[in-house]
Amino acid sequence: MAKGYNNRNLRGMGGVDKNMLRQAQKMSADMQKNQTNLQNREYSAQSGGGTVKVVVTGQHRLKSITIDPEALAPEDAELMQDMVLTAVNDAMAQADKDASETMSRITGGLNLGSLGL
């Protein structure tokens, strides 16, 4: 056996197992596929007992806002602003949670955030 090679024909501890490389490539492909799927999903939330309803995409884009016309009194403007803000933030949190859970399933719980994945 040549010096510096083990019985798998890989260089010492620095060698890369072909099976591990295939698994990493599959994980990367799965992550890209799921990231695209997550971006295309929609998340809805409401506040004020359904007075304000919002829909956001997985890309954190506000898609729609529905406000019950009965709630549109001028003296209620501040309350309406708070309800819109609450509903939008709730929908965004749903999108974040879904993305985090999906990626965690793919990576087996590994935190790959520092790698930009």
Side-chain angles (χ1 to χ4, degrees), residues 16-33 106-107 110 112 115 117:
V16 176
D17 184 336
K18 287 182 182 182
N19 189 42
M20 283 177 47
L21 184 57
R22 274 191 291 265
Q23 287 175 344
Q25 289 171 336
K26 182 184 180 326
M27 184 188 312
S28 177
D30 288 348
M31 287 175 65
Q32 286 181 321
K33 177 183 169 190
I106 293 169
T107 64
L110 294 174
L112 301 177
L115 300 177
L117 303 175

Side-chain angles (χ1 to χ4, degrees), residues 10 27 42 54 58 72 75 85 89 93 97 99 101 104 107 112:
L10 299 175
M27 184 188 312
E42 293 182 358
V54 299
L72 296 175
E75 63 274 6
L85 185 63
N89 285 332
K97 181 180 178 192
E101 289 172 354
S104 181
T107 64
L112 301 177

Side-chain angles (χ1 to χ4, degrees), residues 74-101:
E75 63 274 6
D76 294 334
E78 191 173 330
L79 176 61
M80 184 61 59
Q81 292 168 2
D82 290 342
M83 287 191 289
V84 169
L85 185 63
T86 298
V88 169
N89 285 332
D90 286 350
M92 296 286 190
Q94 288 177 37
D96 288 342
K97 181 180 178 192
D98 192 24
S100 177
E101 289 172 354

